[in-house]
Amino acid sequence: MTTQATRVPAQRDGDLAAEGLSVGYRSRDGLTQVLADVSVRLRSGRILGLAGESGSGKSTLALSMLGYRVSGQETLAGRIDFDGRDLDRASIKDLRKVWGARLAYLPQDTATSLNPALTIRRHFIEGLRRHQGLDTEEAVRRSVEWLGRVEIPEPETALHKYPHQFSGGQQQRIALALALSVEPEVLILDEPTTGLDVVTQAHVNRLIVALARDAGIAALYVSHNLALLATVCDELAIMYAGQIVEQGVAAEVYAAPRHPYTAALIGAVPTIASDRALHGIPGIPRPSVPVHVCGFADRCGFRTEACDTDIPLVTLAEVRSARCVRLDELPPFDPAAEPAPATAVARSSATVDKDADTILTVHRVGVVFSRPGSGEPFVAVDDVSVRVPAGRALGIAGESGSGKSTLLRSIAGLVRPATGTITYRGKELAGLAGDRPVALRRSIQIVFQNPDATLNPRHTVYQSLERPLKLFRPDIARRDRRDAVAAMMRQVRLSPDLLDRFPRHLSGGQRQRVAIGRALLAEPEVLLCDEVTSALDVSVQASILELLVGLQADRELTVVFVTHDLGVLRAVADEAIILQNGVIRESGPTARLLRTPQHPYTMELIAAVPSPERSAEFLGGGS
Amino acid sequence: MTQTVEQVGRPPVRRAPRRLPYLVRQLITLLVTLFAITIVIFGLTAIAGDPARDILGQYATDAQVTAFQQIHGLDQPIVVRYLEWLGGIFRGDLGISYQSNGPVWDVISPRLGPSIVLVLFSWLLTVVISVPIGLYSGVRLRGHRDAAVTFVTLIVAAFPEFVLGLILAIVLGVWLAWLPVDSTAVSMGGLFDSPSAYVLPGITIALGTIPYIIRLMRANAREVASETYVRAAVLRGVTEPSLSLRHILPNAAPPVVTALGLQFAGLIGGVVVAETLFGFPGMGQLLAQSAASRDAPVVEALALMIGAVFVVANLAADAIVVYVTPKLRDAVR
C-alpha cells in the first residue's frame, strides 16, 4: 500500500483540483475570508481526506470544489480545475451538466440527505434518465443493481419505499448508491458517517472505499476525525483557519505529523489500543483566515516571535508539505508525550479498588416501550443487573437501540422500569424522579448529549447555573450564590465573564461545560452522562473528557457514562458494560475488556473502531 | 410490583390496545365536535334572550307575546327546547322562521347554491393565486423583489374586506365598468346564468385570505429550500421546475393545506361581508339579515351549517396532510 501511495499519478482527465483557492463570505459586517490559497488535487482511484475542526473551512472547500456557492460566498483568487475548465466561473447551465453526472456529492446528515416526500425510485430514476439517458425501465434495473451493491435487502421492494422506512445506516448506503449510480468521476463526501453507529459507520466506510476504488473515482472525504481519515484515505490534508497546514500520504502524516496542530489533533482522538493520554486542544479555532500570523499560534505550545508572520506551505517531499516556520526545530512526534503547555489526564486503569463500596445497584431492571404508531411492545432494557462502585466511573457502551440511554434514564428516574429495582446506598429508589425525596434527586444528576436542548436559550449562563442552587442548596445564602456559581465556572474551566451571556454566544464545548457545571452545583454523588461528547468535535471532546476525568478524581464522584465510542469508554471508565438489544453482553475492567474481549459482539464493536495502524484489516473486515 | 421472584427482571410484554383505523377516529372526532357545536349555538341564542318582544314590536299586547311564545315553544324549559331542536335536525326539520313563519329550510334553500359556488370560487382563487406566488417567491426571489412581494401582501392584508370590496367595485365596476357592482342577478334564473355577478364578491373574499396563504407558502418553501436534501438534489443536477414542484412543494405544502382548511372560516366571514356589500343573495346576506331581525331559528340553522362546513374542511385538510406526508401515513396506521 505504501508503495502505491508514494507513486504520484500524472494529471489526467477526471481529476478535480482546487488551485490557489481563496474564498470569502460577504455579510453586513463586510467580507470574512474563510479559505486562503488552498490547493488540493483529487486523483482517480484515490481518496483524499480533509481534516479539521468545525469552522476550519473544510465544508466550504468541499462545496466550492463542486463549483457550488452558498449565498454571500465570493471567490477572491484561484480556480477549480476540472478537465481544463474552471468550475468556479462556469455558468449554472454548465454546472448542471456535471453535477450528479460527473461530480457526485454525499452530504453529512443521513436523515436529511434524502427527500422525505419522494420514493427511493424517484430519487434514482431522476438522475439516471437525465444524465445517462436511460429509459425508466433501464433506470429501475440499474437502481436495483446499485441497491444490491450497497447491500440493501430486497432492492426491488426497497425502491418503492420512502427514506424514513430505512435505518440511518441504510439511508446513507442508499444515498451512496444514488451518488455512484450515475458513474461519476469525482465523489465529494462531507462527513458521510457522522451520526451513525460505530458498526454501521465501519460498514458504510468499507463500502465507500471499496466502491470508489473499484470505479476509479477521485474522492474527497471530509471529517473532523483524523483517525478515521487516516484509516480510510490515501492522502490527508489538514485544514486550520482556512489554510492547509499539512498534507501528505495518510499513513505517514498520522505516524509522524510535522505540524503542531496535526499532532494535537492526533492526540485528541481517543483510542482503544493504549493507555495514551487524551489531550484536548485549549482555546477555540479562529473563525477566519489569519493575517501576518500563524493561524494556530494562539493555541500552539511551540509559539515564538517567528510565528508572527505569513507562514508559507513548505514542501518537504513529493507529496508532503506543512505550514510551520519551526519545522526544523520541533521535536519529533511522540504520541505518549505531554503536549507542551496543555494539561492532560490519563486514566490509571490498573488500580481498580476492589473494596469500593457499592453506591448504586441496578437489580434485574427491565424497561418496555410501545412502538409509536403500531403500539407494539418493545423491550428496551431486558433484565439488567449492575453494581456501581462509589467514586468510580462506570461506562455503558453499545450501539443506538442497545438500551444504554434507557438504562441511564431509568437510574435518573426519567423512565419507569417495568420490573426490577434500583437501590441507592441500600435504599430502593422510586421509579420516577418526581417521587423521590429532594435529597435523593440532588444526589443523582444527569448531563445530556446536546447542551443546546438542555440549556434554556432565554436564560443567561448565570440563570441556568443558579437553578440547582435554588432547588437543592438552601445552605447557600442568596447573596453567596453568585460566588458559588463563579467558582463552579472556574472548575469547569470557563471564565466567570461568561456568566451574563446567553447560550447562543457560547461554543458547543462551552455550552457542554455549563451543562456539566449545572449538574455539579447540586453537589451530586452520582453524575450520569449520556453521550455528553458525541455532538462535539474531537478536540473539544478531548478537553471535556479531560475535565470529567479530573473532576471525577478530585471530587470522588461516581460517574456513569454512556457512549457509543469505545475510545471514549477507554478514556473515562474504570469498568464497563457492553449492551446489545437491552442485554448485557460483557462486563469488566475497561482496559481488560477492550484488550481481551470474550463476547463476539464486543469483538465486532472493537473491529469497527477506525485504526490507522490496522487500515487494511479495517477496510477488509466484515467481508 | 406484585410479581413473583421468577418474573422479576424479564419485563412483562403486554400488547397495547388496538387503535381504531384513522378514518374511523376522524369520523368520531367529527361527530363529537358537531354535537358540541349544537350546544354552543343553541346556548348563545338562548342567552340572547326572548325575541318575542323584539319581533312583535313595542306595541304588541301581552296576549300577542304569549301567543308567539306558545307557537314557537319559547315557554318550554331550555333543555326541552334544545332537545326538540336537536331532534328536529335529525328529522330534517330546522324549525319555523320567526320572520317568514314558514319552515327555515324554505328560507335557506334558495340561497344555498349561490353561496356554495361563491365560496368554492373564492377558495379556488386563493389556491391558484397564493400557492404559485408563495412558492416562487420563497424559492427563487431574493432581495428587493422578495421584499416587494412581502410588502404588497402586507398592504393587502391590512385592508378590511369591505374596503377592498369597495375599491374593487369602484375600479372594476364603476370606472372600467367591466363587472356588475350589484350581484342580485344571481337570484334570478339558474345558478350559472349570471357568472359575472360572482366575480367581484369572489375576489373580495379571496383577497381576505390570499396574503396570508402567500406568506405561509413563501416561508415554508424558503425553509424547505434550505434543507440538505434540496441542496443534494441541486448537486445531483435536478433543475427547475422539477426542483420546486417535486422536491420542495410536497415538503412545504402540509402547513399550507392545514391553513387552507382553517381559512374556510375566514372565507365564510368574508362571505357575510361581501354578500352584504354586493347585494349577493346568499347565506351570508341571510345570516346578517336574520341576526339583525332576531330570527333565531334561521341564525341557528345557518351557524350549524357553517360550523359543519368548517369542521369537515379542517378534518379533510388533516386527512390530506396525512395522505401527502409519507412519514405520517405510516404513523397513523
Side-chain angles (χ1 to χ4, degrees):
Chain A
M1 180 165 154
T2 318
T3 48
Q4 180 205 349
T6 41
R7 184 174 51 88
V8 183
Q11 181 176 342
R12 39 154 274 173
D13 277 6
D15 283 5
L16 178 67
E19 293 169 355
L21 190 69
S22 295
V23 164
Y25 289 127
R26 187 165 299 282
S27 69
R28 268 164 229 257
D29 309 327
L31 188 79
T32 313
Q33 194 179 348
V34 291
L35 290 181
D37 193 23
V38 172
S39 297
V40 289
R41 176 167 292 275
L42 310 184
R43 296 187 179 87
S44 170
R46 295 157 67 86
I47 304 175
L48 172 70
L50 183 64
E53 291 170 272
S54 308
S56 62
K58 56 189 196 304
S59 289
T60 303
L61 177 61
L63 284 174
S64 297
M65 290 198 70
L66 295 161
Y68 185 93
R69 287 185 206 178
V70 299
S71 82
Q73 183 177 337
E74 285 178 25
T75 302
L76 308 172
R79 60 198 297 273
I80 304 291
D81 181 80
F82 186 57
D83 278 357
R85 274 190 308 167
D86 182 3
L87 284 190
D88 189 62
R89 284 171 187 79
S91 69
I92 188 76
K93 215 173 125 216
D94 288 340
L95 285 171
R96 288 205 165 115
K97 283 184 203 146
V98 290
W99 282 347
R102 302 181 61 196
L103 307 179
Y105 170 70
L106 191 59
Q108 176 172 3
D109 205 328
T110 53
T112 58
S113 61
L114 299 170
N115 191 321
L118 302 181
T119 58
I120 302 304
R121 182 178 180 273
R122 169 62 53 196
H123 281 92
F124 271 96
I125 60 172
E126 206 172 40
L128 288 170
R129 281 205 304 219
R130 171 189 297 274
H131 298 303
Q132 303 262 308
L134 304 182
D135 59 21
T136 306
E137 202 180 316
E138 182 63 18
V140 166
R141 209 187 53 72
R142 179 87 73 87
S143 322
V144 169
E145 188 185 311
W146 271 100
L147 286 176
R149 220 170 276 181
V150 295
E151 294 157 37
I152 297 294
E154 299 177 49
E156 286 91 352
T157 334
L159 270 189
H160 297 283
K161 292 191 184 172
Y162 288 90
H164 73 271
Q165 292 165 318
F166 297 92
S167 71
Q170 285 177 328
Q171 285 183 29
Q172 196 60 320
R173 264 144 54 203
I174 291 170
L176 176 67
L178 183 62
L180 294 177
S181 65
V182 289
E183 295 170 0
E185 292 148 62
V186 177
L187 177 62
I188 307 282
L189 306 133
D190 192 356
E191 305 251 13
T193 59
T194 308
L196 299 180
D197 269 324
V198 262
V199 175
T200 316
Q201 223 173 51
H203 185 58
V204 173
N205 279 320
R206 277 169 202 143
L207 273 171
I208 288 172
V209 173
L211 294 172
R213 289 226 172 108
D214 244 26
I217 288 171
L220 178 70
Y221 193 124
V222 177
S223 173
H224 67 271
N225 188 338
L226 196 54
L228 170 67
L229 289 180
T231 310
V232 301
C233 299
D234 302 295
E235 278 175 46
L236 279 181
I238 317 294
M239 189 150 219
Y240 191 83
Q243 293 175 320
I244 302 280
V245 295
E246 183 159 5
Q247 198 166 2
V249 172
E252 293 171 16
V253 172
Y254 193 81
R258 298 295 302 272
H259 195 283
Y261 178 63
T262 315
L265 269 187
I266 293 171
V269 179
T271 68
I272 59 167
S274 66
D275 277 333
R276 201 192 72 193
L278 203 56
H279 310 295
I281 307 176
I284 52 168
R286 66 166 61 228
S288 64
V289 168
V291 183
H292 305 316
V293 64
C294 168
F296 188 57
D298 48 356
R299 299 170 77 188
C300 183
F302 300 104
R303 181 180 190 166
T304 63
E305 279 168 15
C307 302
D308 295 336
T309 177
D310 288 319
I311 319 279
L313 195 63
V314 180
T315 305
L316 300 162
E318 200 170 9
V319 279
R320 191 71 192 271
S321 51
R323 192 186 292 272
C324 178
V325 283
R326 302 190 61 203
L327 282 176
D328 302 327
E329 305 159 32
L330 296 182
F333 177 67
D334 173 7
E338 292 288 309
T343 53
V345 180
R347 262 224 88 67
S348 54
S349 50
T351 56
V352 175
D353 185 1
K354 290 273 187 290
D355 304 326
D357 293 343
T358 299
I359 187 165
L360 205 58
T361 311
V362 174
H363 180 66
R364 310 202 69 177
V365 160
V367 180
V368 186
F369 293 127
S370 51
R371 284 186 207 281
S374 66
E376 296 269 335
F378 163 72
V379 180
V381 175
D382 191 354
D383 196 6
V384 166
S385 299
V386 188
R387 287 173 0 106
V388 186
R392 311 231 59 98
L394 172 79
I396 305 176
E399 295 176 272
S400 55
S402 63
K404 56 188 193 303
S405 288
T406 307
L407 178 59
L408 194 78
R409 282 159 175 268
S410 65
I411 297 174
L414 297 174
V415 292
R416 187 198 292 276
T419 51
T421 53
I422 298 170
T423 39
Y424 172 79
R425 292 202 182 283
K427 281 190 298 258
E428 184 172 338
L429 291 175
L432 292 181
D435 302 330
R436 297 177 184 172
V438 174
L440 270 181
R441 289 212 305 262
R442 200 203 81 182
S443 300
I444 303 176
Q445 290 289 314
I446 185 165
V447 182
F448 295 97
Q449 173 176 356
N450 188 350
D452 300 355
T454 55
L455 294 178
N456 188 330
R458 294 183 186 281
H459 281 182
T460 61
V461 171
Y462 179 73
Q463 283 173 308
S464 287
L465 290 177
E466 186 193 22
R467 196 159 170 72
L469 295 183
K470 283 183 181 170
L471 287 173
F472 299 125
R473 301 288 298 278
D475 53 310
I476 296 181
R478 182 184 289 266
R479 64 177 178 281
D480 296 331
R481 280 185 193 154
R482 191 144 186 126
D483 291 339
V485 166
M488 178 52 68
M489 286 289 274
R490 281 186 284 270
Q491 278 213 42
V492 295
R493 293 191 224 140
L494 286 174
S495 162
D497 298 345
L498 298 175
L499 277 178
D500 295 315
R501 306 275 183 87
F502 288 92
R504 65 174 180 277
H505 298 131
L506 272 53
S507 71
Q510 288 175 326
R511 285 196 284 260
Q512 195 60 293
R513 286 167 196 271
V514 172
I516 292 170
R518 179 172 60 178
L520 291 179
L521 273 168
E523 289 268 292
E525 295 197 68
V526 178
L527 186 67
L528 308 173
C529 300
D530 190 2
E531 298 267 18
V532 292
T533 59
S534 59
L536 306 172
D537 262 0
V538 273
S539 59
V540 185
Q541 163 173 293
S543 50
I544 294 282
L545 294 179
E546 270 181 64
L547 173 73
L548 272 174
V549 169
L551 287 170
Q552 193 257 327
D554 292 351
R555 297 178 151 239
E556 290 176 11
L557 201 61
T558 306
V559 171
V560 183
F561 195 99
V562 161
T563 180
H564 67 273
D565 186 327
L566 296 186
V568 171
L569 187 76
R570 174 77 201 250
V572 295
D574 306 295
E575 291 191 58
I577 59 176
I578 309 283
L579 274 186
Q580 185 193 22
N581 301 331
V583 180
I584 295 185
R585 294 298 184 209
E586 193 165 353
S587 62
T590 314
R592 201 202 69 205
L593 194 101
L594 294 178
R595 201 169 42 239
T596 53
Q598 301 300 310
H599 195 279
Y601 182 67
T602 316
M603 296 177 196
E604 192 188 338
L605 282 182
I606 291 173
V609 177
S611 160
E613 295 86 8
R614 298 180 295 114
S615 170
E617 208 178 307
F618 175 84
L619 293 174
S623 58
Chain B
M1 299 277 121
T2 52
Q3 275 107 3
T4 60
V5 179
E6 278 67 38
Q7 279 173 319
V8 167
R10 280 220 75 91
V13 173
R14 260 178 290 118
R15 278 197 73 84
R18 268 203 93 74
R19 291 162 82 193
L20 291 164
Y22 175 71
L23 279 176
V24 176
R25 276 183 281 147
Q26 290 288 82
L27 217 62
I28 293 172
T29 314
L30 175 83
L31 291 176
V32 171
T33 315
L34 281 179
F35 178 69
I37 287 175
T38 60
I39 296 178
V40 172
I41 289 173
F42 199 85
L44 284 177
T45 46
I47 290 169
D50 188 345
R53 192 48 82 181
D54 295 331
I55 287 169
L56 296 175
Q58 53 180 321
Y59 301 114
T61 63
D62 287 350
Q64 283 172 312
V65 170
T66 315
F68 182 89
Q69 285 171 335
Q70 266 165 7
I71 291 168
H72 292 287
L74 294 171
D75 49 351
Q76 307 273 345
I78 181 157
V79 178
V80 175
R81 274 157 55 202
Y82 170 70
L83 289 177
E84 273 181 7
W85 178 67
L86 196 63
I89 293 169
F90 282 109
R91 293 191 307 271
D93 172 16
L94 294 171
I96 303 292
S97 163
Y98 298 161
Q99 289 296 333
S100 73
N101 278 319
V104 167
W105 177 246
D106 292 354
V107 180
I108 293 175
S109 57
R111 293 164 173 266
L112 215 51
S115 276
I116 289 172
V117 173
L118 183 64
V119 167
L120 287 180
F121 168 63
S122 55
W123 189 79
L124 272 178
L125 211 58
T126 305
V127 175
V128 167
I129 291 175
S130 324
V131 172
I133 292 181
L135 184 65
Y136 186 80
S137 66
V139 178
R140 306 285 294 167
L141 295 186
R142 291 290 182 274
H144 297 305
R145 277 182 291 182
D146 179 45
V149 172
T150 309
F151 183 71
V152 170
T153 56
L154 191 65
I155 295 285
V156 174
F159 280 103
E161 274 143 340
F162 67 90
V163 177
L164 282 175
L166 280 176
I167 294 171
L168 287 174
I170 291 166
V171 175
L172 297 174
V174 180
W175 290 354
L176 299 169
W178 288 348
L179 295 162
V181 176
D182 181 11
S183 300
T184 31
V186 173
S187 60
M188 290 158 258
L191 204 51
F192 299 105
D193 282 355
S194 39
S196 61
Y198 289 94
V199 179
L200 276 181
I203 295 177
T204 305
I205 296 166
L207 280 179
T209 54
I210 282 173
Y212 173 62
I213 301 293
I214 287 182
R215 302 188 118 214
L216 189 68
M217 187 71 234
R218 173 186 164 277
N220 277 299
R222 172 138 317 167
E223 201 180 308
V224 172
S226 67
E227 292 282 350
T228 318
Y229 56 77
V230 174
R231 175 186 285 177
V234 169
L235 288 171
R236 282 201 307 272
V238 176
T239 49
E240 296 289 2
S242 176
L243 192 70
S244 284
L245 297 182
R246 231 194 256 290
H247 289 258
I248 296 176
L249 184 58
N251 290 297
V256 178
V257 172
T258 307
L260 282 169
L262 280 170
Q263 281 299 308
F264 245 89
L267 287 178
I268 290 162
V271 167
V272 175
V273 173
E275 287 189 354
T276 308
L277 195 63
F278 293 100
F280 186 98
M283 290 162 71
Q285 191 191 39
L286 177 65
L287 183 64
Q289 288 165 357
S290 306
S293 63
R294 311 267 342 247
D295 195 346
V298 175
V299 172
E300 284 162 2
L302 287 172
L304 185 60
M305 284 179 186
I306 291 169
V309 167
F310 181 61
V311 174
V312 170
N314 274 302
L315 289 178
D318 283 354
I320 291 170
V321 167
V322 166
Y323 182 73
V324 300
T325 314
K327 224 171 176 165
L328 289 177
R329 210 154 59 202
D330 284 356
V332 298
R333 272 197 189 122

